[in-house]
Amino acid sequence: MEKRGRGVKSSPIQTPNQTPQQAPVTPRKERRPSMFEKEAYTQIVRERLRESIHDVQYVEPPFDDSIADIGKEWKSALAKLKFANSYRMEPLKKFQAHSVETKVQQILTESLKDVKYDDKVFSHLSLELADRILLAVKEFGYHRYKFIIKVLFIQKTGQAINIASRWIWDIAWDSWVAAKHEAESYMALVLVFALYYE
């Protein structure tokens, strides 16, 4: 008679003619391919490229030309370029507010020379002016700077106005420029914010 208690496993009594029960066979894990096998080389490189933060345009295979054709497929499959971090903490060329201010002021006076105040015209004109100023500022070649251009048209009706902008920025590299153009019926104000992007 067998005793069955809590937490105790009972084992069946074996007779000499019986064989012990075997544990169920678990399926084996697939073996990772060796990088020295021709077929496995491309698979390994593809997996590594998926996890890589660097952009690789072409991999020179160590074997014959059949693998080289696969490398050309990768080149077309890479849509967006990813670059490695340069660890640069300061710009190559610091933002020069004075030179940008003169250029913005020149664009503003040229664009609004003979323009009268009109709500409908100014809604489109503000977008066009912002695009022109952005292109002009980008021509200066300040790399790794993000620019925000704000164009405001204010009708003169005898009112006072205060304009304020708040930003969290690095006072060493970030800067801003303001330019204004005044006519009889309106005043135009352009604000250019240059933010260094590390």
Side-chain angles (χ1 to χ4, degrees), residues 28-71:
R28 290 181 138 186
K29 286 186 177 179
E30 255 184 59
R31 184 178 69 85
R32 280 181 37 188
S34 169
M35 82 181 280
F36 298 107
E37 297 173 10
K38 285 186 181 182
E39 297 81 27
Y41 177 77
T42 55
Q43 179 186 351
I44 291 170
V45 173
R46 278 186 182 162
E47 288 174 6
R48 288 182 183 169
L49 285 177
R50 270 192 224 117
E51 298 169 3
S52 175
I53 61 166
H54 302 288
D55 182 36
V56 179
Q57 294 292 329
Y58 179 72
V59 177
E60 187 175 324
F63 303 113
D64 56 70
D65 292 334
S66 64
I67 299 174
D69 295 335
I70 296 170

Side-chain angles (χ1 to χ4, degrees), residues 102-114:
T102 56
K103 184 67 176 176
V104 170
Q105 187 67 46
Q106 178 187 356
I107 292 171
L108 196 59
T109 52
E110 286 175 4
S111 300
L112 302 175
K113 195 175 354 179
D114 298 322

Side-chain angles (χ1 to χ4, degrees), residues 24-169:
V25 178
T26 58
R28 290 181 138 186
K29 286 186 177 179
E30 255 184 59
R31 184 178 69 85
R32 280 181 37 188
S34 169
M35 82 181 280
F36 298 107
E37 297 173 10
K38 285 186 181 182
E39 297 81 27
Y41 177 77
T42 55
Q43 179 186 351
I44 291 170
V45 173
R46 278 186 182 162
E47 288 174 6
R48 288 182 183 169
L49 285 177
R50 270 192 224 117
E51 298 169 3
S52 175
I53 61 166
H54 302 288
D55 182 36
V56 179
Q57 294 292 329
Y58 179 72
V59 177
E60 187 175 324
F63 303 113
D64 56 70
D65 292 334
S66 64
I67 299 174
D69 295 335
I70 296 170
K72 292 174 186 169
E73 292 172 13
W74 293 339
K75 187 173 181 180
S76 62
L78 298 171
K80 189 174 180 181
L81 295 176
K82 294 180 184 176
F83 297 103
N85 194 346
S86 66
Y87 301 102
R88 181 177 299 281
M89 299 300 286
E90 58 187 41
L92 295 171
K93 182 179 176 185
K94 190 175 176 183
F95 183 76
Q96 302 292 326
H98 179 69
S99 58
V100 172
E101 184 178 0
T102 56
K103 184 67 176 176
V104 170
Q105 187 67 46
Q106 178 187 356
I107 292 171
L108 196 59
T109 52
E110 286 175 4
S111 300
L112 302 175
K113 195 175 354 179
D114 298 322
V115 178
K116 301 288 182 190
Y117 185 82
D118 185 12
D119 296 347
K120 296 172 185 172
V121 173
F122 278 176
S123 64
H124 298 291
L125 188 63
S126 63
L127 295 173
E128 291 173 15
L129 222 93
D131 289 339
R132 275 186 65 189
I133 291 169
L134 181 63
L135 289 173
V137 171
K138 284 185 176 182
E139 285 177 3
F140 283 99
Y142 299 116
H143 297 290
R144 302 183 95 175
Y145 270 96
K146 303 272 183 187
F147 299 105
I148 299 170
I149 286 65
K150 197 173 186 181
V151 179
L152 303 167
F153 288 105
I154 304 151
Q155 184 179 14
K156 287 184 178 178
T157 55
Q159 81 278 19
I161 188 165
N162 290 327
I163 297 171
S165 297
R166 289 185 172 200
W167 302 93
I168 298 174
W169 65 18

